[in-house]
Amino acid sequence: MSIKVLEKIKVFVDRQVNNRPISLIWHGGEPLVTGIDRFKAMLDVFEELRLQGKVDHHVQTNATLITPQWCDLFKAYNVNVGVSIDGPSIATSRRVDWGGKEVFDRIMMGINLLKHAEIPFSAIAVVSEYALNNVEELFDFFNSLGCHRWGINIEEKEGINQDLDNLSPQSVKKFWTELFKLWIANPRIIIREFQNFLDFAQYGLANLDDSWLNQVQEDWFPTIAWNGDVVLLSPEFAGVKSVMYDDFFAGNVLEVELGTIVNNAPGLRYVIDYREGVMSCKSTCRYFAFCRGGQASNKFFENGTLVSTQTNFCLNAKQLLFESIVSVVEGLKTK
Amino acid sequence: MTKQTVGPTTDNQSNDALKRVRNLAAQFQLLAEMLPNAMVSFPLPEDRWNNWDKFFDWEKWTKDPWGNWSNWTRP
């Protein structure tokens, strides 16, 4: 990514008035491939703003390239590190290098370096058929890993990932139910999906004014490519071809200010369609209060259009999660 | 409470999930007592994310920061 592009982003960030920092998430492919010197130069663009509390950094990495020097850099710039790992070696076997060799051991080496340097990290796992059927092993693994937070993505057919296991709703529900039971018995680490649900439950129980249900949540989530091209709503849209949606192109920061690109978002065809899809969710789905309208990229990749409602992501990550937790909570014996 | 099935409806039931949670208020209260560190009073996800260290067991983590991860087996 060119420094010129980063300077444009810096101008945008500097103009924002927020009571908390804007998070810059360095991801897509493997960000550490950039090399340590180059990465440092990119972070330096924002250093003044970081020291003012206006920005913080996050990196999502497979950890295979982490060295003690990277750890020093993460500490110096207070980078929040997220590691992509799917569980013990058999569950992580789909993560391979360009030569097709499994990278589990190298991921664990990277994690050990983070721990040695006392750098807290979170983990994101893609759950496939093996993990789905070995819940306790998976839970024990992440409990022992040393991460403070674990995010779970049920494997999905999206973009290039079309040749995947067929996961039945029954097995996904069994997975969430077993995992929730294990977690409430030993809630040592934060599990992102459970936390999101519990936050929703707390909010719903604490606030009887439901007017917030009528507000469609909009996080533009601008994703900026190396050349300054911007896509909105889902980072998965970066580099995706679509005649219907003009390749999801929202503008280029070298030509138009990022603030203007975001302000113009409501006029983009794919944003208009997404809003319509979310309103359809609101009028047809009993899980809307919890889900708030689903993921834009899943609507597109699974249904072919953003003017759509339910996806497999909705089913696996929202509806079955909801039903599993509620079924466990229903079984709790109150005094 | 009537059991619900997974899937969309044709009626406007956008707050159905909320109603179901509220119907289980007593059970959620019990859950909150079981999970004092996981369910605190009304944190938004962003607040929780920014304060994650309050919920993280540093003591356990620092006691066992290492392991033979390459040959990891289930404890």
Side-chain angles (χ1 to χ4, degrees):
Chain A
M1 181 172 264
S2 77
I3 298 296
K4 237 184 196 174
V5 168
L6 296 173
E7 293 285 359
K8 296 287 185 185
I9 300 169
K10 180 189 170 183
V11 170
F12 171 77
V13 171
D14 196 21
R15 285 183 185 159
Q16 304 308 302
V17 181
N18 281 319
N19 55 7
R20 59 191 183 94
I22 288 181
S23 293
L24 294 181
I25 306 170
W26 303 86
H27 69 116
E30 172 48 51
L32 271 52
V33 167
T34 309
I36 197 161
D37 292 339
R38 181 72 185 165
F39 203 87
K40 182 180 181 306
M42 298 196 300
L43 295 178
D44 275 335
V45 172
F46 300 96
E47 189 54 4
E48 190 188 335
L49 298 182
R50 186 183 76 81
L51 295 173
Q52 290 170 17
K54 287 186 168 181
V55 71
D56 60 16
H57 298 288
H58 300 253
V59 66
Q60 188 63 36
T61 173
N62 67 15
T64 59
L65 298 174
I66 289 178
T67 59
Q69 290 72 34
W70 274 109
C71 291
D72 291 343
L73 186 79
F74 294 151
K75 285 178 109 166
Y77 292 82
N78 202 18
V79 178
N80 296 279
V81 181
V83 175
S84 303
I85 180 168
D86 303 332
S89 59
I90 187 166
T92 303
S93 59
R94 278 185 172 151
R95 293 193 186 270
V96 294
D97 62 18
W98 287 107
K101 201 175 168 214
E102 290 181 22
V103 295
F104 176 77
D105 286 356
R106 278 181 274 165
I107 296 173
M108 296 311 290
M109 284 172 67
I111 286 175
N112 273 341
L113 286 169
L114 290 173
K115 290 161 81 173
H116 186 56
E118 298 186 348
I119 296 171
F121 64 97
S122 59
I124 291 183
V126 175
V127 168
S128 57
E129 196 171 9
Y130 176 84
L132 217 56
N133 294 317
N134 292 275
V135 186
E136 200 173 345
E137 183 180 358
L138 196 71
F139 181 69
D140 288 344
F141 176 82
F142 282 98
N143 254 349
S144 311
L145 189 65
C147 59
H148 61 83
R149 192 172 193 258
W150 174 24
I152 299 167
N153 296 329
I154 305 289
E155 191 172 61
E156 55 192 56
K157 292 183 178 182
E158 190 174 68
I160 58 168
N161 297 324
Q162 293 295 323
D163 182 26
L164 299 171
D165 301 330
N166 272 323
L167 308 176
S168 71
Q170 290 79 10
S171 62
V172 174
K173 187 175 180 195
K174 186 166 163 274
F175 168 80
W176 285 127
T177 305
E178 285 180 19
L179 186 64
F180 190 66
K181 285 179 180 171
L182 288 166
W183 182 71
I184 60 176
N186 183 17
R188 183 182 168 187
I189 58 173
I190 296 169
I191 296 181
R192 180 186 64 188
E193 283 62 34
F194 296 160
Q195 207 57 67
N196 289 344
F197 178 89
L198 294 176
D199 287 335
F200 157 73
Q202 286 285 103
Y203 192 94
L205 289 165
N207 293 274
L208 298 178
D209 174 6
D210 294 347
S211 57
W212 56 275
L213 276 175
N214 294 318
Q215 297 159 11
V216 174
Q217 275 185 326
E218 277 175 340
D219 185 350
W220 299 118
F221 209 97
T223 299
I224 301 145
W226 63 275
N227 59 357
D229 282 356
V230 179
V231 299
L232 302 170
L233 298 178
S234 286
E236 288 84 357
F237 288 150
V240 169
K241 297 284 171 202
S242 168
V243 175
M244 181 165 56
Y245 293 136
D246 295 326
D247 300 342
F248 300 96
F249 179 74
N252 185 296
V253 294
L254 295 176
E255 295 158 7
V256 185
E257 283 189 16
L258 185 54
T260 306
I261 292 173
V262 170
N263 288 338
N264 290 340
L268 293 169
R269 167 87 192 273
Y270 73 94
V271 173
I272 293 168
D273 279 8
Y274 174 69
R275 283 177 157 182
E276 201 178 325
V278 170
M279 292 317 290
S280 295
C281 289
K282 184 175 181 298
S283 60
T284 60
C285 184
R286 58 169 60 102
Y287 299 93
F288 181 78
F290 171 49
C291 163
R292 311 306 308 282
Q295 297 285 327
S297 57
N298 289 85
K299 286 178 191 288
F300 176 76
F301 290 120
E302 289 186 34
N303 301 335
T305 170
L306 286 160
V307 193
S308 62
T309 56
Q310 185 171 313
T311 63
N312 278 328
F313 171 80
C314 300
L315 180 68
N316 290 335
K318 298 290 181 179
Q319 299 177 6
L320 292 169
L321 173 77
F322 182 97
E323 292 298 337
S324 302
I325 295 177
V326 164
S327 70
V328 174
V329 173
E330 275 177 332
L332 294 175
K333 299 278 181 249
T334 52
K335 290 167 195 168
Chain B
M1 193 183 77
T2 312
K3 282 263 182 192
Q4 304 281 339
T5 52
V6 170
T9 74
T10 50
D11 303 314
N12 186 344
Q13 296 188 344
S14 61
N15 63 350
D16 191 67
L18 200 53
K19 283 183 194 163
R20 292 177 66 194
V21 164
R22 285 179 181 154
N23 284 342
L24 293 168
Q27 284 92 335
F28 274 105
Q29 180 57 38
L30 182 64
L31 188 68
E33 288 165 20
M34 291 164 64
L35 305 169
N37 292 329
M39 281 184 89
V40 295
S41 60
F42 184 42
L44 289 173
E46 292 85 355
D47 298 325
R48 185 176 294 281
W49 172 245
N50 289 333
N51 293 301
W52 64 265
D53 52 334
K54 287 184 193 159
F55 305 96
F56 180 51
D57 190 340
W58 282 102
E59 199 184 330
K60 277 189 190 171
W61 189 75
T62 47
K63 272 184 193 162
D64 182 25
W66 288 89
N68 187 0
W69 301 104
S70 297
N71 298 315
W72 186 88
T73 52
R74 196 173 134 187

